[in-house]
Structure formats: structure tokens, C-alpha cells
Amino acid sequence: MGQPGRSAPSVTELALRLRAYGEEHGVPEFTGPEHPLDGERTWRRLGIAAGLALRSPRTLLPAAVDGGTVALLLIDDPQLALPAPSVERTKRVLDDGISSAELRSHSAALTRYAQDRGIGMDWNGGAPVLRLPDGRIDVRLDHTADRIIGLEASAA
């Protein structure tokens, strides 16, 4: 669904945006007609990439089709809008994200997540700090591997 007063992009427009994103960012699953999915991790990764590419889908649903085919349905509806970010919820999302998704750069993913959710973020001596209305989350990074190695939440 599009925003009120605006028409929703066509399926073709969305597919072209995904293809362009795939070409630019090396996501081969977006540049060919079909790609084998080797399990849940693959379709989750594709869902994350699609969300980054399109900047609007709210949720992803896998749908089994005959012959082992899985269609990934991206759904966008205002009723699926996320609640305002809070320290507790944001920490839980970050914990889940870093443990379940294959991310090349945790710092880039964190920065993008903060931008997309409207969360204030600054770098305190090389360590990211997320500033939320009800507190903050201090992030410990292993800069060599670009991996989050710890999150410390504190209330305002």
C-alpha cells in the first residue's frame, strides 16, 4: 500500500529497484529470474536486503508454492508501523539482529537501523551510542571484525 494521496509503486517498479540494488550491492538473488533458497537464513537475508533496497516494506512472509518454490511476499501497510523506539525494544531488536542475520558490517547495519528508526546516534570515542527518549544504549564493537560484541542499556 502506498501513502494516502499517493499511488503505490507497481510491482515492475519495485522489481527494477531491487534489481538495481542487487547490481550495486552484490545481491545476486535480485539480479536473476530465480535463485535457489538454501533455507530460512537465505530468505531472511533477502528480506533484510529488500527492506534496505525499498526502504518501505514492513514485513516479509515466505509462502510455499508447488515444487519447493518459496515466494517472498513484502507487505507494507500503515497498520504494521512499528511503535516508537524504546531502550528495551531497541536492545532486543539489536540482540536478535546480530545473532540471526548475516551482516558484513555491524557498524553500517547499526547506523542504518538508527537512521531508519529515527534514533539519535553518535560515536563516543569510537563506540556508538544510541540515544532514545527513555535512555541510551552503549555499543561495544570489535573494530577489527566490525562486529557488535556488547550492548549496555541504561534508562534516562
Side-chain angles (χ1 to χ4, degrees), residues 14 24 61 102 122 147:
L14 294 175
E24 181 179 343
L61 296 174
E102 290 182 34
D122 55 62
R147 297 282 178 248

Side-chain angles (χ1 to χ4, degrees), residues 56-78:
S56 66
R58 305 279 189 214
T59 194
L60 172 77
L61 296 174
V65 183
D66 290 337
T69 299
V70 176
L72 300 177
L73 307 174
L74 298 170
I75 300 173
D76 186 23
D77 187 293

Side-chain angles (χ1 to χ4, degrees), residues 43-65:
W43 66 257
R44 283 183 185 266
R45 184 178 70 81
L46 291 177
I48 291 167
L52 291 172
L54 302 176
R55 308 225 8 139
S56 66
R58 305 279 189 214
T59 194
L60 172 77
L61 296 174
V65 183

Side-chain angles (χ1 to χ4, degrees), residues 1 3 6 9 14 17-18 21 25 30 46-59 74-77 82 108-118:
M1 284 181 91
Q3 296 175 348
R6 293 179 55 186
L14 294 175
R17 285 171 52 194
L18 285 175
Y21 183 90
H25 297 281
F30 291 166
L46 291 177
I48 291 167
L52 291 172
L54 302 176
R55 308 225 8 139
S56 66
R58 305 279 189 214
T59 194
L74 298 170
I75 300 173
D76 186 23
D77 187 293
L82 297 172
L110 179 68
T111 300
R112 181 67 178 259
Y113 178 76
Q115 289 172 345
D116 287 351
R117 293 291 284 135

Side-chain angles (χ1 to χ4, degrees), residues 30-109:
F30 291 166
T31 59
E34 290 186 16
H35 195 280
L37 297 177
D38 58 0
E40 184 176 330
R41 288 185 83 155
T42 302
W43 66 257
R44 283 183 185 266
R45 184 178 70 81
L46 291 177
I48 291 167
L52 291 172
L54 302 176
R55 308 225 8 139
S56 66
R58 305 279 189 214
T59 194
L60 172 77
L61 296 174
V65 183
D66 290 337
T69 299
V70 176
L72 300 177
L73 307 174
L74 298 170
I75 300 173
D76 186 23
D77 187 293
Q79 294 179 5
L80 298 173
L82 297 172
S86 67
V87 168
E88 180 183 340
R89 179 173 172 75
T90 301
K91 184 175 181 309
R92 187 172 60 246
V93 167
L94 294 176
D95 281 334
D96 289 348
I98 61 177
S99 66
S100 66
E102 290 182 34
L103 303 171
R104 288 187 215 164
S105 169
H106 283 200
S107 60

